[in-house]
Amino acid sequence: MTEEMGLRERKKAATRDALSRAAARLALEHGVEGVTVDAIAASAGVSARTFHNYFPGKEEAIVAPLTDAARALLAGLAGRPADEPVWESVRAVLHEVVAPPERFEETVALMRIVKTDPALVASQLCGLGEMQRDAAALIAARTGADPARDLYPHLVAGVMGLTMRVVVNLWVDGGGRADLRELVDCALGQFRAGLPAPARSAPEPLAPPAAPEPPAAPAAPDASG
C-alpha cells in the first residue's frame, strides 16, 4: 500500500511539473495573453479538467517554476536539526534554494515576463505569502513562540521570503554574474545588523559664493557744461 501511494504521489508530481513547464514555455513563446488553459493541458498531454486539479488558473501554472522554490524552502527548513540556531538554518536553506537553475536562460526569461505582468506578480506574491505563513509556523514550533501572538517567527519568515525574492531579482537583472550565495549572506548580515545605512563618501564641500562686486563709482560731473 505504501509503495502504491508513493507511485501515485510521484505521478502527481510529474503531472504538475509537466503542466508548469508547459505553461512557462508557452508564455515565453506566445506571451501571457496568448496562453490558455486548454493549450497548457494539451501541451502536457492531459485534459483541462486535470489541469484544474493542480492549478486554479494559467497564472499560477506559469509562475509555478518560481514559487516551487518556496516549497523547497519549507521542506529544507523542516529538515534542519532542531537544535540548530534559527538564523543558521535560514542561511543553509536559502543557500540550497537559490542555487543557479539548470535552465538558466529559460528561468531568466520567465522572471522578466513575470516582473512585467501584474497578474503574474500577484500570483508569485501569493505563493510567497503562503510559504511565509507555513515557515512562521515551523519557526514558532522550534523557538517555542506563539504564531498567533508573537512577531518573531513571522518576521524571520518574512526575511526569508524577501531575501529570496530580492537576491534572485538582483541576480537576474545583473545577467546572472553575481554569486547568489554571497548575496544571501550579505542580505542576512544586513538584516541581523539592523539594516545600517550604507557608508558613503562625504560630499565635497561647496565652494563659497563669490563676493559681489562693489558698485561702480558715479561718474564725475562734466565741467564743460
Side-chain angles (χ1 to χ4, degrees), residues 12-164:
K12 289 174 64 177
T15 300
R16 185 182 185 281
D17 184 65
L19 285 167
S20 67
R21 292 196 179 282
R25 184 178 64 255
L26 290 171
L28 292 174
E29 293 174 356
H30 306 291
V32 178
E33 295 299 325
V35 179
T36 65
V37 168
D38 288 339
I40 296 171
S43 180
V46 299
S47 67
R49 182 176 180 180
T50 297
F51 172 93
H52 287 294
N53 289 335
Y54 294 89
F55 300 104
K58 68 177 184 180
E59 290 82 7
E60 291 79 7
I62 292 170
V63 302
L66 306 179
T67 55
D68 282 354
R71 294 171 178 262
L73 190 150
L74 286 173
L77 187 61
R80 300 301 300 178
D83 58 349
E84 183 177 56
V86 170
W87 285 109
E88 287 301 315
S89 296
V90 168
R91 177 177 178 269
V93 171
L94 284 172
H95 274 202
E96 295 174 4
V97 170
V98 301
E102 296 178 2
R103 299 174 175 83
F104 170 76
E105 296 296 339
E106 179 181 331
T107 301
V108 169
L110 177 60
M111 289 194 66
R112 286 175 176 159
I113 287 178
V114 170
K115 289 170 67 173
T116 59
D117 188 288
L120 295 184
V121 170
S123 293
Q124 185 185 25
L125 291 177
C126 182
L128 287 175
E130 292 176 2
M131 178 277 293
Q132 289 177 200
R133 286 192 295 273
D134 292 340
L138 288 172
I139 295 166
R142 287 184 51 171
T143 59
D146 181 354
R149 295 186 307 169
D150 296 330
L151 291 172
Y152 181 81
H154 297 281
L155 292 174
V156 174
V159 167
M160 291 174 66
L162 182 60
T163 296
M164 183 172 65

Side-chain angles (χ1 to χ4, degrees), residues 173-184:
D173 291 343
R177 290 185 295 272
D179 186 302
L180 281 165
R181 292 179 176 179
E182 286 185 4
L183 287 175
V184 166

